[in-house]
Every structure is written in C-alpha cells, then in structure tokens.
Amino acid sequence: MSADRYSRQKLFAPIGQAGQQLIREKHVVIIGAGALGASSAEQLVRAGIGHLTIVDRDYVEMSNLQRQQLYSEEDAELRTPKAIAAKGRLQQINSDVSITELIMDVQREELEELFQAADLVLDATDNFETRMMINDVSQLYHVPWIYGGCVGSYGLSYTIIPGQTPCLHCLLETVPLGGATCDTVGVISPAVHMVTAHQVTEALKIIVEDFDSLHKKLISFDLWNNQYTSIKMDNVKKAECPSCGEDASYPFLSPVNQTKTAVLCGRDTVQIRPAVKQDLNLESLRERLHEGDTSLNPFLLSYQTGEQQMVFFKDGRVLIHGTKDITEARRLYHKILG
C-alpha cells in the first residue's frame, strides 16, 4: 500500500498520523446500503477505515442508479443484493479495508450482535421502526450512532452518544407513523450527499476520538428552498426517557412495539400490522403513489405495482399479495410508508 495514499488526510491537523492509525483500527457498521449507506461507505473506505460491515436486505433496481453511487446498470439487471454489489465496488476502491457484507433484515437479535462488535454505527435505513430499535440497542450497549435521513431536497442528521446526548426517543417521543418516502415524493442526489457529509464528518471525529469537536446539534436543511437549520438539543434530554433515562426499559426492543408480520394461510399474501393502531389517511397516501394503479373506497386503498398488489386499511394494516416472503413484504411496506 502506497505511503502517500492518506497523505492529504494526515496533513489535516485534527487527524494527523495518530488519527489515521485510529481510523485503521476501528470497526464501523452501516445499517442500510441505499443512497445514504452507499455514500457513507465509499467515504469511509477511501478514508482507510479498518473494518466496515454493510447490512442490507434489498437488491439493486434501476431507479436506484440516480443517487446510489456504488451500483451499475449490470447490478440492477441482475438484481444483485446491495450488500454484495457494494462490497465488490468498495474492494476495488480500497483493497486494504476489511469489508463484511450481510444480506438480512435486521431485528433486535441481529442489531445486538452488530452493536457488540462495533465502535460506531451509521444509520442509513428506510424506516423509523428500525431506527428506534437501533436507538435502544445503542443505549443498551453504549455504542454511539449517527442518525441520517433525506427525502426530496430535505435532510436531517444527528449524532447520539449514549450517556451524554439526548437519544432519538428524547427527540421524537414516539415513532412517526407514515409520511413521505423517496418512493412517493422522490429525492435528489445532492440532498443525499449533504446528509452523508455531516454523518461521515461526525463519524471521523468519533473514530479519531475528537469528541470535543462533535456538532452536538440537530442539522436539517432543504437544498431546493435554500434553508439550513442547526438546533441545539441539550435541553431535550429527559431523565425519564424510557430509552436513555435513569430507569431505561428499552421499549422498542419489546415485541409489543414492533411491526407484526404473518403469511396468510393458503394464500400468497403477507399481512403487516403496525405495533400501534393508526388512522391512515388513504386519500393522502393515494396522492403520493405516482407509479402503479390505485383504487380507493371508504375502507381501503388498493395499489398495484409490478407483480405485487398492496392493500392498505385505515387502521394501518397492509396486505401484500403475490409473495410469501416476509422480508420482501417488509421491503415493499417500508418503501411506501417509511
């Protein structure tokens, strides 16, 4: 390996030779290998991270190529799992980095195993249920994580250090139910890279142990409308928070607070039921579904996309016809409802 590979990074005083050695020794886990995950992974691999684990349940589609920089048309044509395609491209970029690829849908057990092996976790998921589980596992094992999300031209980032900063539960109180996703309102590539610029910069600060330089604020922006906000979060931390408070119970690791899935007997159908009963606005959802055919009555919304038909009920239940694969059903569900 050329001694000059990281020369410009080592010339940056906050990293230097000592920081580069720390980067070489650390293990970062990225949950999700879509737009945010692909961008963060490439930056960390180019920076010389010692060990990178990439976790994703999805495969590459042609619509991903507009913003997911690690993938090719061939990956989309072959429906290559994103974790596999990402590792292949990243090893071409830096063969000196140890990369572990995991094709799976993470739940509590998988998250606990991942966190126990990690120095830092980056969020690149597509749904808040997983994020809230990440948040609770982070607090349980005292491993920092960096939240990130984007849709349209809007993005968010926030760094969570267990025992020091407010956690995501402090910020949100409860999991947001429903809302816009990239599959319903779109996304532009610059918004993705703005989020990961914040995420990876914060990650490097943690990796080189420069904790005093952490932002300590919630960053939000809307690139198209020229808005940028930095909100101080110190006073948001709650002593009674069930995820990070004095008597933490880690509620989102309980099966009670997790989405229920079941394959319906004798049918190629998976039912997905949210942990909390909703009052889903079916008309609003229909307006966001630009691709595919929809039909609406007072009780349900039917949506046909490809070989799958999805039927949404007002209480938040969804029937996904055309598959018995729970992982595939969850993938389709989160693409629409986030």
Side-chain angles (χ1 to χ4, degrees), residues 11 28 33 38 49 51 89 132 155 160 188 191 196 207 210 212 225 227 266 280 300 310:
L11 284 171
V28 174
I49 192 67
H51 185 188
R89 174 62 179 141
M132 298 308 284
I160 297 170
I188 59 172
T196 60
I207 290 166
D210 186 6
D212 290 339
N225 293 302
Q227 298 171 353
L280 193 60
L300 57 85
M310 305 175 70

Side-chain angles (χ1 to χ4, degrees), residues 149-163:
C150 65
V151 66
S153 60
Y154 176 76
L156 283 168
S157 179
Y158 181 64
T159 302
I160 297 170
I161 309 294

Side-chain angles (χ1 to χ4, degrees), residues 258-291:
Q258 296 172 17
T259 296
K260 310 300 188 298
T261 58
V263 179
L264 300 190
C265 183
R267 300 167 63 185
D268 279 345
T269 300
V270 175
Q271 175 180 265
I272 298 183
R273 180 167 58 87
V276 179
K277 187 176 180 180
Q278 303 179 28
D279 184 12
L280 193 60
N281 187 326
L282 299 179
E283 291 185 4
S284 176
L285 177 59
R286 185 184 193 183
E287 291 174 0
R288 299 202 307 267
L289 297 174
H290 301 295
E291 298 179 0

Side-chain angles (χ1 to χ4, degrees), residues 7-55:
S7 61
R8 302 304 185 270
Q9 192 162 269
K10 289 188 287 187
L11 284 171
F12 180 63
I15 293 180
Q17 181 68 44
Q20 190 63 49
Q21 182 59 38
L22 286 170
I23 293 172
R24 173 71 176 168
E25 296 170 357
K26 297 297 176 68
H27 178 195
V28 174
V29 173
I30 300 179
I31 311 292
L36 294 178
S39 177
S40 295
E42 179 171 338
Q43 292 178 67
L44 287 169
V45 163
R46 290 187 184 278
I49 192 67
H51 185 188
L52 182 69
T53 295
I54 304 169
V55 187

Side-chain angles (χ1 to χ4, degrees), residues 66-284:
Q66 163 257 347
R67 65 198 180 281
Q68 298 182 19
Q69 64 197 54
L70 293 179
Y71 310 128
S72 67
E73 291 181 356
E74 183 180 15
D75 293 324
E77 290 165 0
L78 297 175
R79 291 193 167 188
T80 307
K82 289 182 179 179
I84 298 293
K87 178 179 178 178
R89 174 62 179 141
L90 292 168
Q91 295 281 220
Q92 292 177 332
I93 292 170
N94 192 343
S95 60
D96 199 40
V97 173
S98 173
I99 300 174
T100 301
E101 79 287 5
L102 298 172
I103 308 167
M104 64 183 185
D105 182 26
V106 293
Q107 297 298 308
R108 172 180 179 164
E109 295 78 10
E110 292 85 2
L111 286 172
E112 288 197 43
E113 184 175 342
L114 289 165
F115 266 84
Q116 290 179 77
D119 295 297
L120 172 67
V121 174
L122 266 61
D123 163 42
T125 62
D126 61 1
N127 68 90
F128 266 93
E129 180 183 343
T130 302
R131 287 186 175 115
M132 298 308 284
M133 285 194 289
I134 288 172
N135 185 69
D136 276 7
V137 176
S138 164
Q139 299 299 321
L140 180 61
Y141 291 102
H142 304 284
V143 176
W145 73 287
I146 303 174
Y147 161 65
C150 65
V151 66
S153 60
Y154 176 76
L156 283 168
S157 179
Y158 181 64
T159 302
I160 297 170
I161 309 294
Q164 298 181 32
T165 68
C167 76
L168 192 62
H169 198 169
C170 291
L171 271 62
L172 302 179
E173 292 288 340
T174 56
V175 180
L177 301 176
T181 73
C182 296
D183 282 77
T184 57
V185 302
V187 63
I188 59 172
S189 182
V192 172
H193 297 299
M194 177 71 87
V195 172
T196 60
H198 285 287
Q199 283 187 294
V200 176
T201 302
E202 291 285 276
L204 288 171
K205 294 174 187 177
I206 292 171
I207 290 166
V208 303
E209 301 174 3
D210 186 6
F211 294 98
D212 290 339
S213 295
L214 288 171
H215 203 293
K216 303 181 181 68
K217 294 179 181 179
L218 174 69
I219 304 299
S220 70
F221 61 83
D222 187 329
L223 291 178
W224 204 263
N225 293 302
N226 308 306
Q227 298 171 353
Y228 185 93
T229 306
S230 177
I231 306 172
K232 195 172 182 180
M233 291 285 114
D234 294 6
N235 296 329
V236 176
K237 189 170 176 60
K238 299 176 175 61
E240 69 278 10
C241 174
S243 292
C244 73
E246 297 171 359
D247 298 310
S249 59
Y250 314 111
F252 294 97
L253 302 185
S254 168
V256 173
N257 289 318
Q258 296 172 17
T259 296
K260 310 300 188 298
T261 58
V263 179
L264 300 190
C265 183
R267 300 167 63 185
D268 279 345
T269 300
V270 175
Q271 175 180 265
I272 298 183
R273 180 167 58 87
V276 179
K277 187 176 180 180
Q278 303 179 28
D279 184 12
L280 193 60
N281 187 326
L282 299 179
E283 291 185 4
S284 176

